[in-house]
Amino acid sequence: MTREFNMCSGTCKYKDINFTFIFNGEELQLVPPPDKRETILTEWLLTAIAPGAYTVRTSLTMDEPYLIGTCNETDSTFIFITRQGGHIGSQNFVLFVPLIAYIECRYNSVSIARMSFTSPVINCIHPVTKGFGCTLDRKDFTERGIFTVTTQSFNETTTVPQSFMVDDRPVSVNFSISSRLNIKIKLDEPPLILESAMNFEFDSTTDYHFIFRLWSVAKQFLQYLCYRKNIYLPEVTLYTSTDKGGYEKFATMHVLNEDGDDEPTTLKSGRYIKQMLLVGAEGKILSDIASGSLYLRHLPQTYRSGRTIDAARFIMITAAFEWEYRRNFPDGVPKTESQLKAETAVAHEIAESINNSKGKKRKIYKFLSRLVKSNSLESEIVHIGKVIDDIIGVFGKNLYRLNGEELSYSEMGKRLSSQRNHYAHGDLD
């Protein structure tokens, strides 16, 4: 989906040089003033190899997290969030800066204290149906078609804030529902529009790259709740704090090259986790996502692709299981005293072999030493089955019974670990 954008120009400072910028909604061009062209050429684009002799630099990279420009046409402020480390192109002294997003402000850039995310996905995760109630008199409704729709108060439709950490900074999250009344009713618009939002609140900041980081965390959170990667979140509404303790909307962040699909059919069929099912855990999930401790690499691209298990997805799903197992059981699978003694004895023998060998034999012994106390996928599946049988057993036993089988975690562990090993080692038959 491409957003309509009118090309704009203005001034933008980079490395203490006041450039003229030209922006078309996707590409940022920086045009240097005539008196700085020699500096751009000899100090930025070329490298001196001898007095009066230069060679073209292999690469000019962007070292600033963001650039700030003032638009001539609207007098508004643009904050261009750059791809740090990305290649800066050049042609006839004009620089082409790589961007990942931009913020369009109503007035001069100020600190940001709140972000509000909206989308059809969020309308489902925090159902907009919570935003109104309906009352009717059966006779009036039957005979005259009259009933009353009443919107709920903001307090009734706003969830309790939950805290989480992103890069050692405290952030809070809540969900809310806003209502908008169309006074001038149009044929193609409903008279009452309800919209859910996911809101992040934090200490006021002008670290605009951090704002983009929060967008990334929010998108991954929605991907997790929908179990698919193609979540579409191209715009974010930004707010600044007011003297009265509230928030004022003043800017919108637009993410470039944002591609996805709301998948209306998938949402209609309820393929997502509602906020009401994880009340109080939102902050923990978001913290785990921000820290990278929650495994998300196995998420399918779309809902449809997630219904097909091929060799690659099978391996990624088992990897996700092992990742989560290690998070929840850092000490591994419980072992008997005899098993621990045997492992200690073997580890000691291998350590002696490592000390008494060299070359390839030494490498092999070191490899074996890492395997002595490691857990197998099979043992992890059996252990987790025993620990949460009261949860998964309710579904698993009935599912197996429908197929004329009996649920056995040991058999499941053998089958899945064997299949994973076959796939991982290329034995796809």
Side-chain angles (χ1 to χ4, degrees), residues 353-370:
S353 298
I354 291 174
N355 293 331
N356 298 325
S357 61
K358 55 185 178 181
K360 293 183 178 180
K361 288 183 65 176
R362 184 183 178 88
K363 289 183 179 180
I364 293 173
Y365 281 129
K366 284 187 174 181
F367 171 76
L368 293 175
S369 68
R370 294 194 295 268

Side-chain angles (χ1 to χ4, degrees), residues 163-181:
S163 62
F164 62 102
M165 300 294 291
V166 178
D167 301 339
D168 296 325
R169 301 190 191 188
V171 185
S172 72
V173 58
N174 68 62
F175 289 82
S176 62
I177 298 177
S178 62
S179 56
R180 187 168 75 251
L181 183 64

Side-chain angles (χ1 to χ4, degrees), residues 383-420:
H383 180 228
I384 200 68
K386 292 178 180 178
V387 172
I388 59 173
D389 179 67
D390 58 334
I391 299 174
I392 63 175
V394 175
F395 303 98
K397 291 173 184 176
N398 185 55
L399 180 63
Y400 272 70
R401 192 180 302 113
L402 291 174
N403 290 274
E405 301 285 345
E406 183 178 346
L407 174 61
S408 169
Y409 295 117
S410 60
E411 290 299 320
M412 181 190 297
K414 290 178 182 178
R415 176 173 56 83
L416 294 178
S417 62
S418 175
Q419 190 66 58
R420 192 277 306 271

Side-chain angles (χ1 to χ4, degrees), residues 176-208:
S176 62
I177 298 177
S178 62
S179 56
R180 187 168 75 251
L181 183 64
N182 278 335
I183 299 177
K184 296 181 179 180
I185 299 176
K186 299 180 181 179
L187 292 177
D188 58 344
E189 293 182 2
L192 177 64
I193 298 175
L194 299 176
E195 187 173 48
S196 292
M198 180 173 66
N199 309 299
F200 286 179
E201 297 176 4
F202 39 87
D203 291 338
S204 294
T205 181
T206 55
D207 184 349
Y208 305 114

